[in-house]
Amino acid sequence: MANKVAQAKRLTEENLHTPSLDEIAGRAASVIGRYRLQPDDLPSEGYVGQIHSINTQGVEALTPLVYITGLAKPLALSEIDVQTLVRISDSPFSSDWIGRTVEVRAVRMDGERRLRLYAPGAVSWPIDEPSPPYRRQRTALIGALFVLIVAITAMLIVFTEQIVALWTLLEEAITSFLGR
């Protein structure tokens, strides 16, 4: 049997690894996508509401879920969100978090959209914005580059097929110029 130090290290490493939706497969991805709050479920400016209940989900590692008035799905709390609730309520006990007003915002962290809890009006990461327009410009640039490559390839094919005729035409032009 493992000692307490080894178990503590294992639990710490498990808590540090929070898989993204891409890493979660099967039924778990379906549950997370359909029954937990996602960044697309929020208005762009975030949402302010009161916590009306707290639950946990999981077998080996329990994930705290916070139900906020006005939102249909619960928010799965990360370690950062738990620390935020402890600061807001001055208590580590989840029963003291009920009734607290919080703000849920979709933010971009490490290139991913994530939901985070904040005290209402608190300074945070920049609120997530829709996909930047440079992707559309990049797509147009790639399309234009593709058309240019196709046009150059077509011109080279025509040139190689007509090289004999062009060479004959060039010889006639040279002889007619020199014969004058």
Side-chain angles (χ1 to χ4, degrees), residues 66-79:
V66 170
Y67 293 85
I68 300 172
T69 55
L71 296 176
K73 299 177 187 178
L75 171 65
L77 296 181
S78 68
E79 187 63 35

Side-chain angles (χ1 to χ4, degrees), residues 30-89:
S30 176
V31 167
I32 289 172
R34 291 183 186 168
Y35 303 110
R36 288 189 184 169
L37 193 63
Q38 299 298 316
D40 294 333
D41 297 334
L42 285 180
S44 61
E45 65 276 354
Y47 183 81
V48 177
Q50 268 190 337
I51 297 174
H52 67 80
S53 69
I54 298 171
N55 200 351
T56 56
Q57 185 177 31
V59 177
E60 289 181 10
L62 296 177
T63 302
L65 301 176
V66 170
Y67 293 85
I68 300 172
T69 55
L71 296 176
K73 299 177 187 178
L75 171 65
L77 296 181
S78 68
E79 187 63 35
I80 296 170
D81 296 331
V82 170
Q83 292 171 5
T84 300
L85 286 171
V86 168
R87 277 194 310 274
I88 290 172
S89 66

Side-chain angles (χ1 to χ4, degrees), residues 75-148:
L75 171 65
L77 296 181
S78 68
E79 187 63 35
I80 296 170
D81 296 331
V82 170
Q83 292 171 5
T84 300
L85 286 171
V86 168
R87 277 194 310 274
I88 290 172
S89 66
D90 291 330
S91 172
F93 302 110
S94 61
S95 59
D96 294 335
W97 303 343
I98 296 173
R100 300 289 177 171
T101 303
V102 293
E103 185 172 355
V104 183
R105 298 180 193 159
V107 296
R108 190 164 298 277
M109 296 174 67
D110 301 326
E112 290 184 28
R113 294 181 69 204
R114 297 184 185 177
L115 293 175
R116 288 289 176 249
L117 280 181
Y118 297 96
V123 177
S124 70
W125 291 86
I127 293 179
D128 189 26
E129 297 174 358
S131 296
Y134 73 87
R135 289 187 180 173
R136 282 181 256 145
Q137 291 173 353
R138 185 173 20 166
T139 304
L141 181 63
I142 290 172
L145 186 60
F146 178 74
V147 168
L148 181 65

